[in-house]
């Protein structure tokens, strides 16, 4: 009897992963198929498709969104890793008026050159959320908009503003390059198999022209500031290890140049690789979530003096360890932070304009971050 119960339990568990026409969905590919037609209709309505549009779709799965998109566009280019899904999608449009509009490319969208498209509409595989966003933002020529389904916590990070708990380096980098808005929430029960998390749909519209900035320098500054986003900037920049790093970069730095479009595009794509998040683990692990939000003892009460004590040169016998000689680089950094009024601010409070002002002021003093 015990064996029969175990066998039935195992069979029931395996059946929950079966979807359209008995296909076994693979979690490794992030296959959570949107099965609610009303949600699909709403997504397409909010996308604002035109009859002249070329649409990009990533991970069409069994084609529930695909067939609806084809009814409203000129052409649809889809990227799909799983050959079983490609067969399924083509079966659904075979011998229909929209069959000629569909092109499915087998492979990883992150590893292929993406052709021209006007708009991207996709139920995004969650494990490629971050690199996909930046790959799209690096695409040239620029597209009109992307309407994408993400894990809700990731979507909330994309739209987070200064002071929000989820405001982070991802928020600043994406909002520098695009306007992002939240369109709708989608319950996990609208998918087969249901994911462990809730989802949201966002609209991303790239800023055209893109900001005139060195993205490697920009992200280098953000990496430093968001290591402890609740810590005052003075405390961050006066750490010995940070001073040493900036000194080394200053010695090796060459004259900055805009680098042209190619360098900018490559830099944007690298942003996504550096911020890729394993959503199946990171957002469900409370410790990982809280690591980014951890408050510093000194930052919690807002005391700049306490923060300075932590990083002040150690004294021995009443004398400074450095012999009483003040670090000129530290003095320059403190001068810049005081002049820009950012010394007592924290990254969690700063706007994009604040970061641009800070980067410009530090560049004028010869500081480099890439």
């Amino acid at each position: 009897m015990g064996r029969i119960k175990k066998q039935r339990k195992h069979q029931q568990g395996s059946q929950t992963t079966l979807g359209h026409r008995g296909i076994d969905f693979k979690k490794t590919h992030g296959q959570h198929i949107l099965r609610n037609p009303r949600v699909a209709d709403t997504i397409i309505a909010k996308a604002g498709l035109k009859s002249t549009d070329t649409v990009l779709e990533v991970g069409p799965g069994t084609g529930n969104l695909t067939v609806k998109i084809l009814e409203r566009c000129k052409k649809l280019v889809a990227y799909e890793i799983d050959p079983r899904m490609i067969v399924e999608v083509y079966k659904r449009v075979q011998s229909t008026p929209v069959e000629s509009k569909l092109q499915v490319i087998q492979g990883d969208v992150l590893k292929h050159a993406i052709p021209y498209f006007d708009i991207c509409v996709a139920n995004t595989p969650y494990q490629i959320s971050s690199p996909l966003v930046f790959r799209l933002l690096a695409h040239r020529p620029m597209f009109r908009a992307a309407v994408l389904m993400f894990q809700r916590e990731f979507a909330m990070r994309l739209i987070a503003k200064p002071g929000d708990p989820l405001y982070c380096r991802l928020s600043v980098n994406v909002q520098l390059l695009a306007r992002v808005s939240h369109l709708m929430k989608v319950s996990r029960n609208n998918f087969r198999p249901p994911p462990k998390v809730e989802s949201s749909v966002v609209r991303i519209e790239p800023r055209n022209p893109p900001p005139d900035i060195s993205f490697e320098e920009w992200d280098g500054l953000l990496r430093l500031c968001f290591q402890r986003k609740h810590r005052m900037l003075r405390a961050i920049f006066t750490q010995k290890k940070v001073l040493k790093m900036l000194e080394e970069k200053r010695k090796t730095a060459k004259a900055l140049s805009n680098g042209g479009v190619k360098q900018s595009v490559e830099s944007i794509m690298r942003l996504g690789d550096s911020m890729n998040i394993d959503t199946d683990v990171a957002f469900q692990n409370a410790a990982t979530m809280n690591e980014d939000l951890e408050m510093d003892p000194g930052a919690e009460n807002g005391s700049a003096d306490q923060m300075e004590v932590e990083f002040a040169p150690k004294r021995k016998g009443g004398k400074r360890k450095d012999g009483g000689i003040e670090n000129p680089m530290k003095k320059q950094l403190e001068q810049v932070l005081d002049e820009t009024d950012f010394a007592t601010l924290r990254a969690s409070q700063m706007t994009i304009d604040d970061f641009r002002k800070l980067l410009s002021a530090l560049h004028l003093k010869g500081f480099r971050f890439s």
Side-chain angles (χ1 to χ4, degrees):
M1 181 66 69
R3 289 185 179 179
I4 294 176
K5 286 183 178 180
K6 288 183 179 179
Q7 185 176 4
R8 287 177 178 174
K9 186 176 181 180
H10 173 74
Q11 290 174 348
Q12 289 173 356
S14 63
Q15 288 172 357
T16 58
T17 63
L18 296 180
H20 187 74
R21 298 185 182 179
I23 294 178
D24 185 10
F25 297 129
K26 297 181 179 179
K27 291 183 179 180
T28 55
H29 292 337
Q31 292 176 344
H32 298 283
I33 306 303
L34 179 63
R35 65 177 184 175
N36 189 332
R38 292 184 179 179
V39 174
D41 289 338
T42 304
I43 291 173
I44 292 174
K46 290 181 178 294
L49 297 179
K50 301 178 181 178
S51 59
T52 55
D53 281 341
T54 296
V55 180
L56 173 70
E57 186 180 12
V58 180
T62 57
N64 292 341
L65 261 177
T66 309
V67 293
K68 294 178 180 293
I69 294 173
L70 286 169
E71 296 172 356
R72 303 197 180 192
C73 71
K74 178 181 179 181
K75 181 180 179 181
L76 171 61
V77 179
Y79 282 84
E80 176 59 63
I81 291 180
D82 194 338
R84 302 172 306 158
M85 299 298 176
I86 296 177
V87 172
E88 192 63 36
V89 171
Y90 274 123
K91 280 183 180 179
R92 295 188 67 173
V93 299
Q94 190 175 13
S95 301
T96 67
V98 299
E99 180 180 7
S100 60
K101 297 181 180 182
L102 177 63
Q103 177 187 2
V104 182
I105 300 173
Q106 182 177 355
D108 187 345
V109 68
L110 302 178
K111 299 178 181 179
H112 286 70
I114 301 176
Y116 171 86
F117 67 96
D118 298 293
I119 189 166
C120 178
V121 182
N123 174 19
T124 312
Y126 291 158
Q127 65 267 33
I128 66 168
S129 297
S130 181
L132 176 62
V133 167
F134 288 100
R135 184 166 183 82
L136 292 177
L137 291 175
H139 188 268
R140 299 294 183 270
M142 286 188 171
F143 56 96
R144 185 170 77 250
V147 176
L148 305 172
M149 180 99 69
F150 290 123
Q151 181 174 333
R152 181 159 309 159
E153 288 83 354
F154 183 85
M156 293 301 101
R157 288 178 181 239
L158 292 181
I159 65 172
K161 300 300 181 184
D164 292 347
L166 292 177
Y167 188 64
C168 60
R169 185 165 64 101
L170 174 69
S171 314
V172 179
N173 273 323
V174 172
Q175 292 174 33
L176 172 75
L177 299 167
R179 289 175 290 274
V180 189
S181 55
H182 185 271
L183 296 181
M184 60 185 294
K185 296 179 180 179
V186 182
S187 169
R188 58 190 297 272
N189 297 323
N190 292 294
F191 299 89
R192 180 183 298 165
K196 295 180 179 180
V197 295
E198 302 297 314
S199 302
S200 281
V201 180
V202 301
R203 183 181 181 90
I204 300 175
E205 300 177 70
R207 299 186 188 277
N208 194 3
D212 183 15
I213 195 170
S214 168
F215 295 106
E216 291 184 349
E217 283 289 303
W218 169 263
D219 191 54
L221 173 65
L222 294 188
R223 280 174 180 266
L224 181 59
C225 294
F226 278 97
Q227 281 181 355
R228 285 291 183 270
K229 67 177 184 179
H230 295 294
R231 178 171 288 177
M232 293 181 183
L233 292 192
R234 178 190 287 127
I236 292 175
F237 280 92
T238 53
Q239 295 178 77
K240 287 183 180 179
K241 61 181 181 180
V242 173
L243 292 172
K244 182 178 179 181
M245 179 269 291
L246 292 176
E247 186 175 4
E248 291 174 353
K249 289 186 178 295
R250 173 181 274 186
K251 289 179 180 179
T252 58
K254 297 180 181 180
L256 286 178
S257 62
N258 290 333
V261 174
K262 182 177 180 181
Q263 180 180 348
S264 298
V265 166
E266 291 175 350
S267 299
I268 295 172
M269 291 172 63
R270 282 195 290 271
L271 293 182
D273 295 332
S274 69
M275 283 183 286
N276 192 18
I277 298 173
D278 185 353
T279 53
D280 285 338
V281 177
F283 286 132
Q284 295 178 53
N285 187 321
T288 306
M289 281 287 290
N290 291 333
E291 181 181 356
D292 202 31
L293 306 176
E294 184 181 0
M295 288 294 290
D296 216 34
E300 191 172 0
N301 57 28
S303 172
D305 294 335
Q306 289 186 9
M307 301 301 300
E308 287 298 321
V309 170
E310 182 180 351
F311 301 104
K314 294 182 179 179
R315 298 175 182 271
K316 185 177 181 180
K319 295 182 180 180
R320 289 170 57 115
K321 188 176 181 179
D322 57 10
I325 301 175
E326 188 174 6
N327 187 325
M329 177 168 284
K330 178 180 177 181
K331 185 176 180 180
Q332 282 186 321
L333 282 166
E334 290 179 331
Q335 181 182 354
V336 172
L337 293 173
D338 288 335
E339 290 176 352
T340 54
D341 296 326
F342 293 143
T344 57
L345 278 186
R346 302 171 175 88
S348 60
Q349 304 169 320
M350 297 174 64
T351 65
I352 289 176
D353 287 340
D354 289 337
F355 285 114
R356 295 188 73 162
K357 181 180 177 181
L358 177 60
L359 181 62
S360 177
L362 290 169
H363 273 179
L364 289 176
K365 294 293 184 180
F367 292 102
R368 297 294 181 263
F369 298 92
S370 62

